[in-house]
Amino acid sequence: MARKQERSLLTEVELEFMTVVWDIGGGTVRDILAELNKAQTRAYTSVATVLKIMEQKGFLTSERHDRSLVYRPAVPKEEYQRTTLKDLSSKLFDGAPAALVARLVDDEEVTDDMLESMRALLNERLGDNGR
């Protein structure tokens, strides 16, 4: 049996697969393939291989149902988001979350409505709902 590798960050392709698994809650290779093929045609064997690698990395679990493996997320989406943002903040923004937020706020594609939503989230977190 293959030994589990220490969990790292997902590659771009793995993240695409993981997003499907999170969205559908899990499924067989065929279930996941059907969802992935809505955006881009992929081969069954390629999908099966990537899912097996993701299981070895600890991102997925599998159990046999009839003649098929059913893959399920081993890592909740929110946990992966938190880990990824911490890694991004550490590597690209010298561990300063404020620098990450500042870059995001400076983005011209962020609308005033988005900024208001961010303000509301910050006020809620800080307990400043009256401001």
Side-chain angles (χ1 to χ4, degrees), residues 12 25 34 80:
E12 191 173 329
Y80 186 73

Side-chain angles (χ1 to χ4, degrees), residues 2-125:
R3 134 184 114 73
K4 284 194 176 181
Q5 300 174 0
E6 186 170 327
R7 199 177 298 150
S8 58
L9 295 179
L10 294 164
T11 66
E12 191 173 329
V13 169
E14 290 169 345
L15 182 56
E16 182 182 357
F17 283 42
M18 195 70 194
T19 299
V20 167
V21 176
W22 281 321
D23 287 348
I24 66 174
T28 64
V29 174
R30 289 198 190 288
D31 297 332
I32 296 164
L33 176 66
E35 289 298 314
L36 289 167
N37 280 349
K38 290 178 181 178
Q40 176 184 347
T41 303
R42 299 183 189 267
Y44 179 94
T45 54
S46 298
V47 171
T49 299
V50 172
L51 293 173
K52 184 54 71 182
I53 290 167
M54 292 170 65
E55 182 181 21
Q56 290 170 351
K57 287 183 173 183
F59 290 105
L60 297 173
T61 62
S62 70
E63 59 183 57
R64 188 160 296 282
H65 284 282
D66 296 325
R67 298 180 66 198
S68 299
L69 286 176
V70 175
Y71 289 94
R72 300 203 187 287
V75 178
K77 186 174 186 177
E78 296 76 21
E79 180 184 322
Y80 186 73
Q81 288 171 333
R82 190 177 315 110
T83 300
T84 303
L85 278 176
K86 282 182 181 178
D87 185 70
L88 179 67
S89 177
S90 173
K91 290 179 180 175
L92 195 58
F93 294 96
D94 299 323
L100 186 148
V101 173
R103 173 58 52 216
L104 181 62
V105 169
D106 284 344
D107 187 334
E108 293 176 5
E109 293 180 18
V110 174
T111 67
D112 288 347
D113 287 342
M114 292 174 183
L115 291 171
E116 284 299 328
S117 294
M118 287 183 223
R119 176 183 286 164
L121 290 169
L122 287 170
N123 286 344
E124 180 181 321
R125 174 80 156 89

